[in-house]
mmCIF file of all heavy atoms in Angstrom:
data_model
loop_
_atom_site.group_PDB
_atom_site.id
_atom_site.type_symbol
_atom_site.label_atom_id
_atom_site.label_comp_id
_atom_site.label_asym_id
_atom_site.label_seq_id
_atom_site.Cartn_x
_atom_site.Cartn_y
_atom_site.Cartn_z
ATOM 1 N N THR B 32 -11.808 17.458 -11.116
ATOM 2 C CA THR B 32 -11.914 16.684 -9.885
ATOM 3 C C THR B 32 -11.656 17.583 -8.685
ATOM 4 O O THR B 32 -10.752 18.413 -8.724
ATOM 5 C CB THR B 32 -10.903 15.525 -9.863
ATOM 6 O OG1 THR B 32 -11.049 14.745 -11.045
ATOM 7 C CG2 THR B 32 -11.115 14.633 -8.642
ATOM 8 N N MET B 33 -12.464 17.395 -7.667
ATOM 9 C CA MET B 33 -12.240 18.103 -6.410
ATOM 10 C C MET B 33 -12.170 17.077 -5.284
ATOM 11 O O MET B 33 -12.784 16.018 -5.348
ATOM 12 C CB MET B 33 -13.341 19.134 -6.155
ATOM 13 C CG MET B 33 -13.224 20.360 -7.043
ATOM 14 S SD MET B 33 -14.455 21.608 -6.627
ATOM 15 C CE MET B 33 -13.850 23.020 -7.526
ATOM 16 N N PHE B 34 -11.425 17.440 -4.267
ATOM 17 C CA PHE B 34 -11.192 16.539 -3.145
ATOM 18 C C PHE B 34 -11.559 17.250 -1.848
ATOM 19 O O PHE B 34 -11.350 18.451 -1.709
ATOM 20 C CB PHE B 34 -9.713 16.131 -3.082
ATOM 21 C CG PHE B 34 -9.180 15.516 -4.339
ATOM 22 C CD1 PHE B 34 -8.693 16.304 -5.358
ATOM 23 C CD2 PHE B 34 -9.157 14.136 -4.491
ATOM 24 C CE1 PHE B 34 -8.191 15.745 -6.526
ATOM 25 C CE2 PHE B 34 -8.655 13.558 -5.654
ATOM 26 C CZ PHE B 34 -8.173 14.366 -6.667
ATOM 27 N N TRP B 35 -12.048 16.471 -0.914
ATOM 28 C CA TRP B 35 -12.340 16.997 0.419
ATOM 29 C C TRP B 35 -11.523 16.247 1.453
ATOM 30 O O TRP B 35 -11.512 15.004 1.478
ATOM 31 C CB TRP B 35 -13.831 16.880 0.735
ATOM 32 C CG TRP B 35 -14.650 17.877 -0.035
ATOM 33 C CD1 TRP B 35 -15.295 17.680 -1.216
ATOM 34 C CD2 TRP B 35 -14.899 19.237 0.332
ATOM 35 N NE1 TRP B 35 -15.929 18.833 -1.611
ATOM 36 C CE2 TRP B 35 -15.692 19.805 -0.674
ATOM 37 C CE3 TRP B 35 -14.519 20.033 1.419
ATOM 38 C CZ2 TRP B 35 -16.131 21.135 -0.642
ATOM 39 C CZ3 TRP B 35 -14.953 21.346 1.460
ATOM 40 C CH2 TRP B 35 -15.748 21.886 0.449
ATOM 41 N N TYR B 36 -10.832 17.020 2.283
ATOM 42 C CA TYR B 36 -9.993 16.471 3.337
ATOM 43 C C TYR B 36 -10.487 16.967 4.683
ATOM 44 O O TYR B 36 -11.090 18.027 4.803
ATOM 45 C CB TYR B 36 -8.535 16.920 3.161
ATOM 46 C CG TYR B 36 -7.857 16.436 1.911
ATOM 47 C CD1 TYR B 36 -7.984 17.133 0.713
ATOM 48 C CD2 TYR B 36 -7.057 15.289 1.926
ATOM 49 C CE1 TYR B 36 -7.342 16.696 -0.444
ATOM 50 C CE2 TYR B 36 -6.404 14.849 0.776
ATOM 51 C CZ TYR B 36 -6.557 15.568 -0.400
ATOM 52 O OH TYR B 36 -5.911 15.132 -1.539
ATOM 53 N N ARG B 37 -10.130 16.186 5.680
ATOM 54 C CA ARG B 37 -10.430 16.571 7.053
ATOM 55 C C ARG B 37 -9.120 16.538 7.833
ATOM 56 O O ARG B 37 -8.294 15.636 7.632
ATOM 57 C CB ARG B 37 -11.437 15.592 7.649
ATOM 58 C CG ARG B 37 -11.892 15.922 9.052
ATOM 59 C CD ARG B 37 -13.009 14.981 9.457
ATOM 60 N NE ARG B 37 -13.502 15.310 10.788
ATOM 61 C CZ ARG B 37 -14.511 14.701 11.374
ATOM 62 N NH1 ARG B 37 -15.140 13.697 10.750
ATOM 63 N NH2 ARG B 37 -14.891 15.064 12.583
ATOM 64 N N GLN B 38 -8.940 17.521 8.680
ATOM 65 C CA GLN B 38 -7.713 17.593 9.464
ATOM 66 C C GLN B 38 -8.042 17.889 10.914
ATOM 67 O O GLN B 38 -8.617 18.932 11.225
ATOM 68 C CB GLN B 38 -6.781 18.681 8.899
ATOM 69 C CG GLN B 38 -5.432 18.734 9.582
ATOM 70 C CD GLN B 38 -4.536 19.818 9.009
ATOM 71 O OE1 GLN B 38 -5.016 20.856 8.564
ATOM 72 N NE2 GLN B 38 -3.236 19.575 9.001
ATOM 73 N N PHE B 39 -7.657 16.989 11.785
ATOM 74 C CA PHE B 39 -7.798 17.208 13.217
ATOM 75 C C PHE B 39 -6.570 17.954 13.724
ATOM 76 O O PHE B 39 -5.513 17.924 13.082
ATOM 77 C CB PHE B 39 -7.964 15.878 13.950
ATOM 78 C CG PHE B 39 -9.290 15.225 13.685
ATOM 79 C CD1 PHE B 39 -9.386 14.105 12.862
ATOM 80 C CD2 PHE B 39 -10.454 15.722 14.239
ATOM 81 C CE1 PHE B 39 -10.600 13.504 12.607
ATOM 82 C CE2 PHE B 39 -11.674 15.125 13.992
ATOM 83 C CZ PHE B 39 -11.749 14.028 13.168
ATOM 84 N N PRO B 40 -6.697 18.628 14.882
ATOM 85 C CA PRO B 40 -5.576 19.422 15.395
ATOM 86 C C PRO B 40 -4.292 18.615 15.481
ATOM 87 O O PRO B 40 -4.291 17.479 15.962
ATOM 88 C CB PRO B 40 -6.075 19.852 16.780
ATOM 89 C CG PRO B 40 -7.557 19.880 16.642
ATOM 90 C CD PRO B 40 -7.898 18.744 15.726
ATOM 91 N N LYS B 41 -3.250 19.199 14.989
ATOM 92 C CA LYS B 41 -1.906 18.628 15.039
ATOM 93 C C LYS B 41 -1.828 17.266 14.329
ATOM 94 O O LYS B 41 -0.978 16.437 14.658
ATOM 95 C CB LYS B 41 -1.436 18.487 16.490
ATOM 96 C CG LYS B 41 -1.381 19.823 17.226
ATOM 97 C CD LYS B 41 -0.730 19.676 18.578
ATOM 98 C CE LYS B 41 -0.788 20.976 19.370
ATOM 99 N NZ LYS B 41 -0.112 22.097 18.657
ATOM 100 N N GLN B 42 -2.692 17.070 13.372
ATOM 101 C CA GLN B 42 -2.641 15.836 12.601
ATOM 102 C C GLN B 42 -2.564 16.138 11.108
ATOM 103 O O GLN B 42 -2.666 17.283 10.684
ATOM 104 C CB GLN B 42 -3.868 14.963 12.901
ATOM 105 C CG GLN B 42 -3.903 14.438 14.330
ATOM 106 C CD GLN B 42 -4.985 13.401 14.520
ATOM 107 O OE1 GLN B 42 -5.423 12.745 13.572
ATOM 108 N NE2 GLN B 42 -5.415 13.231 15.758
ATOM 109 N N SER B 43 -2.388 15.092 10.351
ATOM 110 C CA SER B 43 -2.264 15.249 8.915
ATOM 111 C C SER B 43 -3.638 15.325 8.257
ATOM 112 O O SER B 43 -4.662 15.226 8.916
ATOM 113 C CB SER B 43 -1.462 14.075 8.344
ATOM 114 O OG SER B 43 -1.158 14.290 6.982
ATOM 115 N N LEU B 44 -3.633 15.505 6.962
ATOM 116 C CA LEU B 44 -4.881 15.556 6.207
ATOM 117 C C LEU B 44 -5.330 14.134 5.860
ATOM 118 O O LEU B 44 -4.528 13.311 5.419
ATOM 119 C CB LEU B 44 -4.700 16.334 4.903
ATOM 120 C CG LEU B 44 -4.693 17.852 4.996
ATOM 121 C CD1 LEU B 44 -3.410 18.367 5.604
ATOM 122 C CD2 LEU B 44 -4.919 18.467 3.612
ATOM 123 N N MET B 45 -6.614 13.912 6.033
ATOM 124 C CA MET B 45 -7.187 12.630 5.670
ATOM 125 C C MET B 45 -8.206 12.849 4.565
ATOM 126 O O MET B 45 -9.136 13.646 4.719
ATOM 127 C CB MET B 45 -7.863 11.979 6.880
ATOM 128 C CG MET B 45 -6.904 11.651 8.007
ATOM 129 S SD MET B 45 -5.640 10.460 7.523
ATOM 130 C CE MET B 45 -6.653 9.034 7.178
ATOM 131 N N LEU B 46 -8.034 12.146 3.468
ATOM 132 C CA LEU B 46 -8.970 12.283 2.357
ATOM 133 C C LEU B 46 -10.325 11.716 2.756
ATOM 134 O O LEU B 46 -10.417 10.593 3.244
ATOM 135 C CB LEU B 46 -8.429 11.551 1.127
ATOM 136 C CG LEU B 46 -9.295 11.603 -0.122
ATOM 137 C CD1 LEU B 46 -9.418 13.033 -0.653
ATOM 138 C CD2 LEU B 46 -8.723 10.684 -1.201
ATOM 139 N N MET B 47 -11.353 12.517 2.539
ATOM 140 C CA MET B 47 -12.712 12.061 2.825
ATOM 141 C C MET B 47 -13.377 11.518 1.572
ATOM 142 O O MET B 47 -14.000 10.461 1.588
ATOM 143 C CB MET B 47 -13.562 13.214 3.364
ATOM 144 C CG MET B 47 -13.073 13.827 4.649
ATOM 145 S SD MET B 47 -14.052 15.246 5.115
ATOM 146 C CE MET B 47 -15.640 14.495 5.427
ATOM 147 N N ALA B 48 -13.255 12.274 0.484
ATOM 148 C CA ALA B 48 -13.958 11.889 -0.732
ATOM 149 C C ALA B 48 -13.378 12.604 -1.928
ATOM 150 O O ALA B 48 -12.749 13.660 -1.808
ATOM 151 C CB ALA B 48 -15.443 12.204 -0.600
ATOM 152 N N THR B 49 -13.633 12.001 -3.068
ATOM 153 C CA THR B 49 -13.221 12.554 -4.355
ATOM 154 C C THR B 49 -14.476 12.774 -5.184
ATOM 155 O O THR B 49 -15.331 11.875 -5.264
ATOM 156 C CB THR B 49 -12.303 11.568 -5.086
ATOM 157 O OG1 THR B 49 -11.166 11.306 -4.277
ATOM 158 C CG2 THR B 49 -11.864 12.126 -6.425
ATOM 159 N N SER B 50 -14.591 13.956 -5.772
ATOM 160 C CA SER B 50 -15.776 14.203 -6.579
ATOM 161 C C SER B 50 -15.390 14.672 -7.973
ATOM 162 O O SER B 50 -14.481 15.480 -8.143
ATOM 163 C CB SER B 50 -16.681 15.243 -5.909
ATOM 164 O OG SER B 50 -16.133 16.540 -5.981
ATOM 165 N N ASN B 51 -16.070 14.105 -8.940
ATOM 166 C CA ASN B 51 -15.910 14.510 -10.327
ATOM 167 C C ASN B 51 -17.176 15.223 -10.773
ATOM 168 O O ASN B 51 -18.284 14.819 -10.414
ATOM 169 C CB ASN B 51 -15.648 13.298 -11.214
ATOM 170 C CG ASN B 51 -14.312 12.665 -10.924
ATOM 171 O OD1 ASN B 51 -13.265 13.265 -11.146
ATOM 172 N ND2 ASN B 51 -14.334 11.457 -10.399
ATOM 173 N N GLU B 52 -16.998 16.250 -11.556
ATOM 174 C CA GLU B 52 -18.118 17.065 -11.982
ATOM 175 C C GLU B 52 -19.187 16.220 -12.652
ATOM 176 O O GLU B 52 -18.883 15.425 -13.559
ATOM 177 C CB GLU B 52 -17.628 18.173 -12.927
ATOM 178 C CG GLU B 52 -18.696 19.165 -13.325
ATOM 179 C CD GLU B 52 -19.349 18.816 -14.654
ATOM 180 O OE1 GLU B 52 -18.753 18.058 -15.425
ATOM 181 O OE2 GLU B 52 -20.454 19.315 -14.916
ATOM 182 N N GLY B 53 -20.394 16.343 -12.161
ATOM 183 C CA GLY B 53 -21.529 15.665 -12.769
ATOM 184 C C GLY B 53 -21.728 14.226 -12.357
ATOM 185 O O GLY B 53 -22.653 13.567 -12.845
ATOM 186 N N SER B 54 -20.900 13.721 -11.474
ATOM 187 C CA SER B 54 -21.078 12.340 -11.045
ATOM 188 C C SER B 54 -21.026 12.253 -9.524
ATOM 189 O O SER B 54 -20.652 13.206 -8.850
ATOM 190 C CB SER B 54 -20.029 11.426 -11.674
ATOM 191 O OG SER B 54 -18.733 11.811 -11.280
#
Side-chain angles (χ1 to χ4, degrees):
Chain B
T32 307
M33 286 185 167
F34 304 86
W35 287 95
Y36 296 85
R37 183 173 182 177
Q38 185 180 32
F39 290 106
K41 300 188 185 301
Q42 294 190 24
S43 188
L44 281 73
M45 297 298 296
L46 180 65
M47 299 175 65
T49 301
S50 72
N51 293 295
E52 186 265 340
S54 61

